[in-house]
Short mmCIF file of all heavy atoms in Angstrom, two decimals:
data_model
loop_
_atom_site.label_atom_id
_atom_site.label_comp_id
_atom_site.label_asym_id
_atom_site.label_seq_id
_atom_site.Cartn_x
_atom_site.Cartn_y
_atom_site.Cartn_z
N GLN A 1 5.69 -14.63 -10.67
CA GLN A 1 5.50 -13.96 -11.96
C GLN A 1 6.66 -14.27 -12.90
O GLN A 1 6.51 -14.26 -14.12
CB GLN A 1 5.39 -12.44 -11.76
CG GLN A 1 4.20 -11.99 -10.91
CD GLN A 1 2.90 -12.00 -11.69
OE1 GLN A 1 2.57 -12.98 -12.35
NE2 GLN A 1 2.14 -10.93 -11.57
N VAL A 2 7.84 -14.55 -12.33
CA VAL A 2 9.00 -14.91 -13.15
C VAL A 2 8.73 -16.24 -13.84
O VAL A 2 8.95 -16.38 -15.05
CB VAL A 2 10.29 -15.00 -12.29
CG1 VAL A 2 11.45 -15.51 -13.13
CG2 VAL A 2 10.63 -13.63 -11.70
N GLN A 3 8.23 -17.22 -13.09
CA GLN A 3 7.93 -18.53 -13.66
C GLN A 3 6.81 -18.43 -14.70
O GLN A 3 6.80 -19.18 -15.67
CB GLN A 3 7.53 -19.50 -12.54
CG GLN A 3 8.60 -19.69 -11.49
CD GLN A 3 8.11 -20.46 -10.28
OE1 GLN A 3 6.95 -20.87 -10.22
NE2 GLN A 3 8.98 -20.68 -9.31
N ALA A 4 5.88 -17.49 -14.48
CA ALA A 4 4.77 -17.31 -15.42
C ALA A 4 5.16 -16.42 -16.59
O ALA A 4 4.33 -16.16 -17.47
CB ALA A 4 3.57 -16.70 -14.69
N ASN A 5 6.41 -15.95 -16.59
CA ASN A 5 6.93 -15.09 -17.66
C ASN A 5 6.14 -13.78 -17.77
O ASN A 5 5.89 -13.27 -18.86
CB ASN A 5 6.92 -15.82 -19.01
CG ASN A 5 7.90 -15.21 -19.99
OD1 ASN A 5 8.97 -14.72 -19.61
ND2 ASN A 5 7.55 -15.22 -21.27
N VAL A 6 5.74 -13.25 -16.61
CA VAL A 6 5.01 -11.97 -16.55
C VAL A 6 5.95 -10.90 -16.03
O VAL A 6 6.57 -11.06 -14.97
CB VAL A 6 3.78 -12.08 -15.63
CG1 VAL A 6 3.10 -10.72 -15.47
CG2 VAL A 6 2.80 -13.12 -16.17
N CYS A 7 6.07 -9.81 -16.77
CA CYS A 7 6.95 -8.71 -16.36
C CYS A 7 6.27 -7.84 -15.33
O CYS A 7 5.05 -7.62 -15.37
CB CYS A 7 7.36 -7.88 -17.57
SG CYS A 7 8.49 -8.74 -18.69
N VAL A 8 7.04 -7.32 -14.40
CA VAL A 8 6.55 -6.41 -13.36
C VAL A 8 7.11 -5.03 -13.64
O VAL A 8 8.30 -4.88 -13.93
CB VAL A 8 6.97 -6.89 -11.96
CG1 VAL A 8 6.56 -5.88 -10.90
CG2 VAL A 8 6.37 -8.25 -11.65
N ASN A 9 6.26 -4.01 -13.57
CA ASN A 9 6.72 -2.64 -13.76
C ASN A 9 6.26 -1.78 -12.59
O ASN A 9 5.56 -2.25 -11.69
CB ASN A 9 6.23 -2.06 -15.09
CG ASN A 9 4.72 -2.22 -15.26
OD1 ASN A 9 3.96 -2.05 -14.32
ND2 ASN A 9 4.30 -2.57 -16.48
N MET A 10 6.65 -0.52 -12.63
CA MET A 10 6.34 0.38 -11.51
C MET A 10 4.83 0.60 -11.36
O MET A 10 4.34 0.80 -10.26
CB MET A 10 7.07 1.71 -11.71
CG MET A 10 7.29 2.48 -10.43
SD MET A 10 8.23 1.55 -9.21
CE MET A 10 7.49 2.13 -7.68
N GLU A 11 4.11 0.53 -12.49
CA GLU A 11 2.66 0.72 -12.44
C GLU A 11 2.00 -0.41 -11.64
O GLU A 11 1.05 -0.18 -10.88
CB GLU A 11 2.08 0.76 -13.86
CG GLU A 11 2.33 2.04 -14.63
CD GLU A 11 3.78 2.25 -14.99
OE1 GLU A 11 4.51 1.23 -15.19
OE2 GLU A 11 4.23 3.41 -15.05
N MET A 12 2.51 -1.63 -11.79
CA MET A 12 1.96 -2.75 -11.05
C MET A 12 2.25 -2.63 -9.56
O MET A 12 1.41 -2.97 -8.72
CB MET A 12 2.53 -4.06 -11.60
CG MET A 12 2.10 -4.37 -13.01
SD MET A 12 2.94 -5.80 -13.73
CE MET A 12 2.24 -7.14 -12.77
N VAL A 13 3.43 -2.13 -9.23
CA VAL A 13 3.78 -1.91 -7.82
C VAL A 13 2.85 -0.85 -7.22
O VAL A 13 2.33 -1.02 -6.11
CB VAL A 13 5.25 -1.47 -7.69
CG1 VAL A 13 5.56 -1.08 -6.24
CG2 VAL A 13 6.19 -2.59 -8.14
N LYS A 14 2.63 0.24 -7.97
CA LYS A 14 1.73 1.31 -7.48
C LYS A 14 0.31 0.79 -7.34
O LYS A 14 -0.41 1.17 -6.41
CB LYS A 14 1.78 2.49 -8.44
CG LYS A 14 3.08 3.27 -8.40
CD LYS A 14 3.07 4.42 -9.39
CE LYS A 14 4.38 5.21 -9.35
NZ LYS A 14 4.41 6.30 -10.37
N ASP A 15 -0.10 -0.08 -8.27
CA ASP A 15 -1.45 -0.66 -8.20
C ASP A 15 -1.61 -1.48 -6.93
O ASP A 15 -2.64 -1.41 -6.25
CB ASP A 15 -1.68 -1.52 -9.44
CG ASP A 15 -3.13 -2.01 -9.54
OD1 ASP A 15 -4.00 -1.38 -8.92
OD2 ASP A 15 -3.37 -3.02 -10.23
N ALA A 16 -0.57 -2.28 -6.60
CA ALA A 16 -0.62 -3.08 -5.37
C ALA A 16 -0.71 -2.19 -4.13
O ALA A 16 -1.48 -2.46 -3.21
CB ALA A 16 0.62 -3.98 -5.29
N LEU A 17 0.07 -1.11 -4.13
CA LEU A 17 0.04 -0.18 -2.99
C LEU A 17 -1.32 0.51 -2.88
O LEU A 17 -1.84 0.69 -1.77
CB LEU A 17 1.13 0.88 -3.15
CG LEU A 17 2.58 0.38 -2.99
CD1 LEU A 17 3.57 1.46 -3.37
CD2 LEU A 17 2.84 -0.09 -1.57
N ASP A 18 -1.91 0.86 -4.02
CA ASP A 18 -3.23 1.52 -4.00
C ASP A 18 -4.31 0.57 -3.50
O ASP A 18 -5.23 0.98 -2.78
CB ASP A 18 -3.59 2.01 -5.41
CG ASP A 18 -2.77 3.23 -5.83
OD1 ASP A 18 -2.21 3.89 -4.93
OD2 ASP A 18 -2.68 3.51 -7.04
N GLN A 19 -4.20 -0.70 -3.85
CA GLN A 19 -5.17 -1.69 -3.36
C GLN A 19 -5.09 -1.81 -1.84
O GLN A 19 -6.13 -1.85 -1.15
CB GLN A 19 -4.91 -3.05 -4.01
CG GLN A 19 -5.30 -3.14 -5.47
CD GLN A 19 -5.11 -4.55 -6.02
OE1 GLN A 19 -5.16 -5.53 -5.27
NE2 GLN A 19 -4.89 -4.67 -7.32
N LEU A 20 -3.88 -1.86 -1.32
CA LEU A 20 -3.71 -1.96 0.14
C LEU A 20 -4.21 -0.70 0.83
O LEU A 20 -4.85 -0.77 1.89
CB LEU A 20 -2.23 -2.21 0.46
CG LEU A 20 -1.65 -3.53 -0.04
CD1 LEU A 20 -0.14 -3.58 0.17
CD2 LEU A 20 -2.32 -4.72 0.66
N ARG A 21 -3.92 0.44 0.24
CA ARG A 21 -4.39 1.71 0.81
C ARG A 21 -5.92 1.76 0.84
O ARG A 21 -6.53 2.19 1.83
CB ARG A 21 -3.84 2.89 -0.01
CG ARG A 21 -4.25 4.27 0.55
CD ARG A 21 -3.72 5.40 -0.30
NE ARG A 21 -2.28 5.57 -0.12
CZ ARG A 21 -1.36 5.20 -1.01
NH1 ARG A 21 -1.74 4.63 -2.15
NH2 ARG A 21 -0.09 5.38 -0.78
N GLY A 22 -6.54 1.29 -0.24
CA GLY A 22 -7.99 1.28 -0.32
C GLY A 22 -8.62 0.38 0.74
O GLY A 22 -9.63 0.74 1.34
N ALA A 23 -8.00 -0.78 0.98
CA ALA A 23 -8.53 -1.70 1.99
C ALA A 23 -8.47 -1.08 3.38
O ALA A 23 -9.41 -1.22 4.18
CB ALA A 23 -7.75 -3.01 1.95
N VAL A 24 -7.38 -0.39 3.68
CA VAL A 24 -7.25 0.26 4.98
C VAL A 24 -8.31 1.33 5.15
O VAL A 24 -8.92 1.48 6.22
CB VAL A 24 -5.83 0.87 5.14
CG1 VAL A 24 -5.76 1.73 6.41
CG2 VAL A 24 -4.78 -0.23 5.19
N MET A 25 -8.58 2.09 4.09
CA MET A 25 -9.58 3.16 4.15
C MET A 25 -10.99 2.60 4.33
O MET A 25 -11.83 3.20 5.00
CB MET A 25 -9.51 4.02 2.88
CG MET A 25 -8.24 4.84 2.77
SD MET A 25 -8.12 5.73 1.19
CE MET A 25 -9.48 6.89 1.36
N ILE A 26 -11.25 1.42 3.74
CA ILE A 26 -12.57 0.79 3.89
C ILE A 26 -12.78 0.31 5.33
O ILE A 26 -13.84 0.54 5.93
CB ILE A 26 -12.72 -0.39 2.91
CG1 ILE A 26 -12.80 0.13 1.47
CG2 ILE A 26 -13.95 -1.23 3.25
CD1 ILE A 26 -12.75 -0.97 0.42
N VAL A 27 -11.77 -0.35 5.87
CA VAL A 27 -11.90 -0.94 7.21
C VAL A 27 -11.74 0.11 8.30
O VAL A 27 -12.41 0.05 9.34
CB VAL A 27 -10.87 -2.08 7.39
CG1 VAL A 27 -11.00 -2.70 8.78
CG2 VAL A 27 -11.06 -3.14 6.32
N TYR A 28 -10.87 1.08 8.07
CA TYR A 28 -10.65 2.15 9.06
C TYR A 28 -10.90 3.51 8.41
O TYR A 28 -9.96 4.23 8.06
CB TYR A 28 -9.22 2.08 9.60
CG TYR A 28 -8.99 0.94 10.56
CD1 TYR A 28 -8.56 -0.31 10.09
CD2 TYR A 28 -9.20 1.09 11.93
CE1 TYR A 28 -8.36 -1.37 10.96
CE2 TYR A 28 -8.99 0.03 12.80
CZ TYR A 28 -8.59 -1.20 12.31
OH TYR A 28 -8.39 -2.24 13.18
N PRO A 29 -12.20 3.84 8.23
CA PRO A 29 -12.53 5.12 7.57
C PRO A 29 -12.01 6.35 8.32
O PRO A 29 -11.79 7.40 7.71
CB PRO A 29 -14.06 5.10 7.51
CG PRO A 29 -14.48 4.12 8.57
CD PRO A 29 -13.41 3.11 8.63
N MET A 30 -11.77 6.22 9.63
CA MET A 30 -11.26 7.35 10.43
C MET A 30 -9.73 7.41 10.40
O MET A 30 -9.12 8.28 11.01
CB MET A 30 -11.74 7.24 11.88
CG MET A 30 -13.26 7.23 12.02
SD MET A 30 -14.05 8.67 11.30
CE MET A 30 -13.46 9.94 12.42
N GLY A 31 -9.14 6.45 9.68
CA GLY A 31 -7.69 6.45 9.57
C GLY A 31 -7.01 5.66 10.68
O GLY A 31 -7.65 5.13 11.59
N LEU A 32 -5.67 5.56 10.58
CA LEU A 32 -4.86 4.86 11.57
C LEU A 32 -4.05 5.86 12.38
O LEU A 32 -3.82 7.00 11.94
CB LEU A 32 -3.92 3.88 10.87
CG LEU A 32 -4.57 2.74 10.08
CD1 LEU A 32 -3.50 1.94 9.34
CD2 LEU A 32 -5.38 1.83 10.99
N PRO A 33 -3.57 5.47 13.56
CA PRO A 33 -2.72 6.37 14.35
C PRO A 33 -1.47 6.77 13.57
O PRO A 33 -0.97 6.00 12.74
CB PRO A 33 -2.35 5.52 15.58
CG PRO A 33 -3.40 4.47 15.66
CD PRO A 33 -3.81 4.17 14.25
N PRO A 34 -0.95 7.96 13.80
CA PRO A 34 0.23 8.41 13.05
C PRO A 34 1.47 7.56 13.30
O PRO A 34 2.39 7.55 12.48
CB PRO A 34 0.44 9.84 13.56
CG PRO A 34 -0.29 9.92 14.85
CD PRO A 34 -1.44 8.98 14.74
N HIS A 35 1.50 6.83 14.43
CA HIS A 35 2.66 5.99 14.73
C HIS A 35 2.50 4.56 14.21
O HIS A 35 3.40 3.75 14.38
CB HIS A 35 2.87 5.94 16.26
CG HIS A 35 1.65 5.52 17.02
ND1 HIS A 35 0.74 6.44 17.51
CD2 HIS A 35 1.17 4.30 17.38
CE1 HIS A 35 -0.24 5.79 18.12
NE2 HIS A 35 0.00 4.49 18.06
N ASP A 36 1.36 4.25 13.57
CA ASP A 36 1.16 2.90 13.04
C ASP A 36 2.06 2.70 11.82
O ASP A 36 2.07 3.52 10.90
CB ASP A 36 -0.30 2.70 12.64
CG ASP A 36 -0.65 1.23 12.46
OD1 ASP A 36 -0.03 0.58 11.59
OD2 ASP A 36 -1.54 0.73 13.17
N PRO A 37 2.83 1.59 11.78
CA PRO A 37 3.74 1.35 10.64
C PRO A 37 3.04 1.35 9.29
O PRO A 37 3.64 1.75 8.28
CB PRO A 37 4.32 -0.03 10.95
CG PRO A 37 4.15 -0.21 12.41
CD PRO A 37 2.91 0.53 12.78
N ILE A 38 1.77 0.94 9.26
CA ILE A 38 1.04 0.90 8.00
C ILE A 38 0.82 2.31 7.47
O ILE A 38 1.06 2.59 6.29
CB ILE A 38 -0.32 0.17 8.18
CG1 ILE A 38 -0.08 -1.28 8.59
CG2 ILE A 38 -1.16 0.25 6.91
CD1 ILE A 38 -1.33 -2.03 8.98
N ARG A 39 0.39 3.20 8.34
CA ARG A 39 0.19 4.59 7.92
C ARG A 39 1.52 5.22 7.52
O ARG A 39 1.59 5.95 6.53
CB ARG A 39 -0.46 5.39 9.05
CG ARG A 39 -0.64 6.87 8.73
CD ARG A 39 -1.50 7.56 9.76
NE ARG A 39 -1.48 9.01 9.59
CZ ARG A 39 -2.19 9.86 10.32
NH1 ARG A 39 -3.01 9.40 11.26
NH2 ARG A 39 -2.11 11.17 10.11
N MET A 40 2.56 4.94 8.26
CA MET A 40 3.88 5.50 7.95
C MET A 40 4.38 5.00 6.60
O MET A 40 4.97 5.76 5.82
CB MET A 40 4.86 5.15 9.07
CG MET A 40 4.51 5.79 10.41
SD MET A 40 5.56 5.22 11.76
CE MET A 40 7.08 6.10 11.39
N GLU A 41 4.14 3.73 6.30
CA GLU A 41 4.53 3.18 5.00
C GLU A 41 3.75 3.84 3.87
O GLU A 41 4.32 4.21 2.83
CB GLU A 41 4.30 1.66 4.96
CG GLU A 41 5.28 0.85 5.78
CD GLU A 41 6.59 0.61 5.06
OE1 GLU A 41 6.79 1.16 3.96
OE2 GLU A 41 7.43 -0.13 5.62
N LEU A 42 2.44 3.99 4.06
CA LEU A 42 1.61 4.57 3.02
C LEU A 42 1.92 6.04 2.79
O LEU A 42 1.71 6.57 1.70
CB LEU A 42 0.12 4.40 3.38
CG LEU A 42 -0.40 2.95 3.37
CD1 LEU A 42 -1.81 2.88 3.90
CD2 LEU A 42 -0.33 2.37 1.96
N GLU A 43 2.43 6.72 3.82
CA GLU A 43 2.80 8.13 3.69
C GLU A 43 4.30 8.31 3.42
O GLU A 43 4.80 9.43 3.43
CB GLU A 43 2.42 8.88 4.97
CG GLU A 43 0.91 8.94 5.21
CD GLU A 43 0.54 9.64 6.51
OE1 GLU A 43 1.48 9.96 7.30
OE2 GLU A 43 -0.66 9.87 6.75
N ASP A 44 5.00 7.20 3.16
CA ASP A 44 6.44 7.22 2.88
C ASP A 44 7.24 7.88 4.02
O ASP A 44 8.21 8.58 3.79
CB ASP A 44 6.74 7.94 1.56
CG ASP A 44 6.16 7.19 0.37
OD1 ASP A 44 6.14 5.95 0.41
OD2 ASP A 44 5.72 7.85 -0.59
N LYS A 45 6.82 7.61 5.24
CA LYS A 45 7.51 8.16 6.41
C LYS A 45 8.14 7.05 7.27
O LYS A 45 8.53 7.29 8.41
CB LYS A 45 6.54 8.96 7.28
CG LYS A 45 5.97 10.20 6.59
CD LYS A 45 4.98 10.93 7.50
CE LYS A 45 4.41 12.16 6.82
NZ LYS A 45 3.40 12.85 7.69
N GLU A 46 8.24 5.86 6.70
CA GLU A 46 8.75 4.72 7.49
C GLU A 46 10.21 4.93 7.86
O GLU A 46 11.00 5.49 7.08
CB GLU A 46 8.60 3.41 6.71
CG GLU A 46 9.46 3.28 5.48
CD GLU A 46 8.85 3.86 4.23
OE1 GLU A 46 7.90 4.67 4.35
OE2 GLU A 46 9.30 3.51 3.12
#
């Protein structure tokens, strides 16, 4: 994005996190184990 002269802001970071969260919910509708690093990251418990 630097080479493309595109600025990154906190909204874009949150958008990326929401996309990843949505994909996990689609593939694993019952959720992930509480000890899974992905769930811990999404819940800010890493």
